[in-house]
């Protein structure tokens, strides 16, 4: 594995684009290169940048050292041939593999779906939904294990009172390893035993058609143990470029290490100094192992982000921390030189400490006021707009403190991410209303009665809750509230999304709706809830309520980001990847929060331990070391967001240094350091201001109206298709009700299938279709017993009994025999094909949708291209498939510059239906029309 360290601002994305161009120049087609990064937005940016690099190279002949006339093409390749390589890459760009880690793993699993026992068109379910399904399995298991005769009854009774929460914690940590283990502590052993049982039931529930992100990782580890699957992956890709490798988790790391071991070239780039996602199971040790065992490439050591003084401060910070082993080592912290236009900017660094003997809360309030004053002064003295400033902190509480100080100073502030969005009162009111409509009792019903919908007085509430029939009591004491409750009961009978919309927008109180009682900020939050639910509308009200319950636990879910041009307020984690002219790091004296977990998992061994066991304390020590190391890396990430000016503020009661203050003290700029005041560097100490005299007029906050962005009133039109869609979903004509008879003379009728190819697994028709397509792609023979037994071993056959498997295999063999009989007669023989590709992935961007699928066969004979789409239907109904066939043909035309002869190959009836270019063009226009 080739490994490169890239510090913040050193042009990592540009280096990746350059590497793409080097590989293309060396003759590696773009379709054989996989680009993998951490987020969808980063993958989209990388695609744009690669396209821009190719276009620049074609237009100017050069891109950051890669030249069409350079050394890359001296191996007997003409300039024209060199241009053709990049022109081909540009045509392939829209379908190239540039995706996230989970996206790449998903693609690998789809390539080997039959061998993995998966439906090739499996659905990826979000993590919250996977957790909801796992919780259901936990509840089922608890119910069954209550029976003394149940095998898990002993474990269920020994698990402890906090077991449900601990089991969910284990579920959230499943990316640390394939299996958990327990020490000799009986409660821990019982917990792991229950988890294994619930997780096994959870996997069975997902089956072959659904995978969540965690299960994609685990399935990918199974894939690397199947030689045929790895060979198939190696036949598709030659080089894999992985970005942000410092943020991968242990399972992801093992997957890429296995790819490297199988012969694929894997190149990774990242920065251990920016590994800050331990709470998401990221493990910087994976990067360090690659750095130790692989080929270390020269680091990127020229910063195009930072001014001279900010760059010098960061070098001193990293050198100090590396020397002390705090967060990272010397090998991971190369010195960086300011380069480009930033090198011409001197910049400014300020460090401000509030040191006093008063309570820490008073120190932090003064610190916030100091920060607000400095940002206002920079705005006035240096002309930096507030919109180009940011305040970063480790905690949401610190951001709230900074926001209050900025408001008092009259400085406009924009909170980009607050805390506990789904715990906001307006969101809880909606949840309580939906839950109360289902059952008029409990805390939620009481909350509805007292909330904006019911509005009962405390005495009325007591009377209703104490009654044996709460609804009747409500009708007696408050008829208006009873009428609103009847409205609510009718409302929840609608589909969940429609019920939620009605609850928010329909009038229920003298023409007033719920939003009438909300301020502007609360309305933004409620609208965001609607958008969140509408992205994946739940099919059942209980599913919606369960989703809301899960979202409440997302501590990183913040308020809807505010709009405007004020100072940006956000956590360090949310600031990763961003930068500002002026960046302030607030609350640098904050202590590291103690670890209060009631369950610990050793990140190296997967050992689960509970309080009271020796392993719990030992694991806690290792986890504390990891958290402290990550804390120092957070400081580097925060400080490296500044382009021209960096401010750091902290509070130190009695001069004590905690958290980041310790690192700054080691640098010589801590609370006890000698104050300095230069034009480009300030080190100052402040004390808490004396309290105002009794009766003095308090300061009144001055609020400035933030500027509304220009896009605030824009709306987005609905599109007929999702952003990513499969051509197989297009159906221009329904399936005929009566099957057509087979043409005479084509042999005996085959055993009937149970419907169309679109039937979901584990139906027989889909199994037959999946196996036939896979067998054709492998050139397997119908009379080869070994080939048929390989098909029997596919997991899609597991739901069938042995006799049913024999029937399925007999049908597959008949269809395969038809296919081989058609070769050389109805279809060109394999030997006659100059180029032949099977199961070719395609992606066709068209308007608002990317059409993504797999072409069964694309080949060239005598210079002409053919596109074959195999069908196993009983009925020959070509009009049904014209839309998807047109999409496949158009994708080939755009990628290769030729329009193939498109054909539907009906294997059951041995019939080939040619579809002409005019018919394809009409079908394409009909299938992808924006208006139906």
């Amino acid at each position: 594995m080739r490994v490169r360290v890239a510090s913040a601002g050193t042009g990592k994305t540009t280096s990746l684009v350059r590497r793409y161009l080097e590989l293309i120049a060396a003759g590696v087609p773009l379709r054989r290169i996989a680009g993998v990064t951490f987020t969808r937005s980063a993958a989209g940016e990388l695609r744009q940048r690669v396209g821009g690099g190719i276009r620049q190279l074609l237009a100017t002949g050069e891109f950051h050292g890669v030249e069409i006339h350079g050394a890359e093409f001296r191996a007997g390749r003409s300039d024209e041939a060199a241009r053709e390589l990049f022109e081909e890459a540009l045509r392939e760009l829209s379908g190239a593999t540039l995706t996230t880690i989970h996206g790449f793993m998903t693609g690998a699993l789809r390539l080997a779906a039959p061998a993995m026992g998966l439906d090739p068109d499996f659905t990826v379910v979000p993590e919250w939904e996977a957790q909801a399904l796992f919780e259901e399995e936990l509840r089922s298991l608890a119910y069954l294990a209550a029976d003394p005769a149940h095998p898990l009854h002993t474990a269920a009774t020994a698990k402890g009172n906090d077991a449900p929460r601990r089991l969910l914690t284990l579920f959230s940590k499943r990316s640390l390893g394939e299996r958990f283990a327990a020490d000799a502590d009986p409660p821990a052993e019982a917990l792991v035993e229950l988890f294994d049982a619930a997780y096994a039931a959870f996997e069975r529930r997902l089956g072959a058609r659904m995978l969540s992100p965690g299960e994609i990782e685990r399935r990918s580890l199974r894939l690397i143990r199947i030689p045929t699957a790895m060979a198939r992956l190696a036949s598709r890709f030659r080089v894999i470029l992985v970005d942000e490798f410092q943020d991968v988790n242990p399972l992801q790391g093992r997957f890429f290490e296995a790819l490297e071991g199988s012969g694929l070239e894997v190149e990774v780039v990242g920065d251990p100094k920016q590994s800050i996602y331990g709470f998401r199971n990221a493990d910087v040790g994976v990067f360090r192992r690659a750095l130790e065992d692989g080929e270390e490439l020269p680091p990127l050591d020229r910063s195009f982000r930072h001014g001279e003084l900010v760059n010098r401060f960061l070098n001193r910070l990293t050198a100090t921390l590396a020397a002390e082993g705090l967060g990272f080592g010397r090998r991971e912290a190369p010195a960086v030189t300011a380069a480009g236009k930033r090198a011409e900017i001197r910049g400014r660094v300020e460090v401000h400490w509030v040191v006093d003997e008063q309570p820490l809360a008073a120190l932090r309030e003064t610190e916030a006021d100091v920060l607000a004053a400095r940002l206002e002064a920079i705005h006035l003295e240096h002309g930096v707009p507030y919109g180009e400033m940011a305040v970063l902190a480790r905690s949401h509480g610190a951001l709230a403190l900074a926001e209050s100080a900025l408001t008092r100073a009259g400085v406009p502030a924009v909170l980009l991410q607050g805390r506990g969005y789904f715990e906001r009162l307006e969101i809880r009111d909606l949840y309580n209303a939906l839950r109360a409509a289902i059952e008029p009792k409990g805390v939620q019903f009481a909350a509805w009665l007292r909330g904006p919908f019911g509005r009962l007085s405390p005495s009325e509430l007591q009377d209703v809750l104490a009654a044996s029939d709460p609804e009747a009591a409500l009708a007696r004491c408050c008829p208006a509230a009873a009428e609103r409750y009847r409205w609510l009961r009718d409302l929840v009978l609608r589909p969940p999304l429609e019920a939620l919309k009605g609850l928010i927008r329909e009038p229920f109180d003298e023409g007033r709706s719920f939003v009438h009682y909300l301020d502007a900020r609360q309305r933004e939050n409620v609208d965001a809830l609607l958008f969140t639910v509408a992205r994946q509308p739940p099919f059942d009200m209980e599913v919606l309520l369960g989703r809301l319950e899960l979202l409440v636990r997302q501590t990183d879910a913040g308020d809807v980001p505010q709009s405007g041009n004020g100072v940006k307020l956000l956590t360090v984690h949310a600031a990763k990847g961003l930068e500002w002219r002026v960046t302030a790091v607030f609350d640098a004296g904050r202590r590291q929060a103690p670890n209060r977990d009631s369950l610990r998992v050793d990140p190296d061994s997967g050992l689960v331990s509970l309080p009271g066991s020796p392993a719990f304390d030992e694991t806690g020590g290792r986890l504390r070391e990891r958290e402290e190391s990550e804390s120092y890396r957070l400081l580097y990430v925060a400080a490296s967001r500044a382009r021209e000016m960096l401010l750091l503020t902290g509070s130190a009661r009695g001069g004590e240094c905690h958290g980041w203050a310790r690192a700054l003290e080691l640098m010589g700029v801590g609370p006890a350091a000698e104050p300095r005041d230069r034009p480009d560097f300030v080190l100052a100490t402040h004390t808490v201001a004396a309290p105002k005299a009794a009766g003095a007029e308090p300061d009144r906050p001055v609020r400035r109206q933030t500027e509304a962005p220009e896009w605030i009133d824009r709306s987005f039109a609905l599109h007929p298709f999702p952003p990513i869609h499969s051509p197989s979903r297009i159906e221009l004509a329904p399936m005929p009700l009566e099957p057509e008879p087979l043409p005479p003379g084509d042999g005996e009728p085959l055993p009937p299938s149970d419907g169309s190819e679109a039937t979901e697994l584990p139906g027989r028709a889909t199994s037959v279709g999946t196996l036939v397509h896979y067998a054709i792609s492998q050139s397997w023979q119908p009379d080869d017993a070994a080939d048929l037994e390989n098909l029997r071993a596919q997991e899609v056959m597991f739901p069938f009994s042995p006799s049913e498997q024999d029937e399925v295999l007999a049908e597959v063999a008949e269809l395969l025999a038809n296919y081989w009989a058609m070769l050389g007669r109805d279809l060109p023989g394999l030997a006659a094909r100059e180029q032949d590709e099977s199961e070719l992935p395609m992606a066709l961007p068209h308007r608002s949708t990317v059409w993504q699928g797999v072409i069964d066969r694309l080949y060239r004979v005598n210079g002409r291209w053919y596109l074959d789409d195999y069908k196993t239907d009983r009925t020959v109904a070509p009009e049904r498939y014209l839309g998807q066939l047109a999409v496949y043909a158009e994708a080939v035309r755009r990628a290769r510059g030729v329009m193939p002869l498109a054909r539907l190959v009906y294997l059951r009836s041995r019939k080939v239906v040619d579809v002409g270019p005019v018919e394809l063009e009409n079908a394409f226009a009909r299938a992808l029309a924006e208006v139906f």
Side-chain angles (χ1 to χ4, degrees), residues 788-804:
L788 293 179
E789 286 306 308
N790 279 336
L791 291 175
R792 186 193 298 275
Q794 306 307 313
E795 196 168 332
V796 293
M797 295 284 274
F798 292 175
F800 301 105
S801 67
S803 62
E804 290 172 331

Side-chain angles (χ1 to χ4, degrees), residues 221-236:
L221 288 191
R222 298 181 198 174
L223 180 146
I224 63 179
R225 303 187 188 108
I226 302 176
T228 55
M230 291 297 286
R232 185 162 177 74
L233 194 58
S235 70
R236 186 57 48 83

Side-chain angles (χ1 to χ4, degrees), residues 549-580:
E549 280 291 339
L550 287 173
L551 292 173
V552 167
R553 301 173 195 159
Q554 293 183 0
T555 56
D556 59 340
D559 286 356
V560 176
Q562 298 175 15
S563 59
N565 293 319
V567 177
K568 308 299 186 292
L569 299 168
L570 64 170
T571 63
V572 181
H573 285 103
K576 179 83 180 296
L578 305 176
E579 58 186 69
W580 295 270

Side-chain angles (χ1 to χ4, degrees), residues 410-452:
V411 175
V414 179
L415 184 67
L416 291 190
Q417 187 181 35
R419 185 177 189 177
Y421 160 63
F422 291 100
E423 290 181 308
R424 296 278 301 205
L425 183 59
E426 60 271 20
I427 305 300
R428 297 302 297 178
D429 281 340
L430 294 172
Y431 171 82
N432 290 333
L434 294 173
R435 179 63 73 184
I438 296 175
E439 192 171 20
K441 66 178 184 179
V443 175
Q444 285 79 29
F445 183 58
W448 183 86
L449 293 172
R450 279 288 288 160

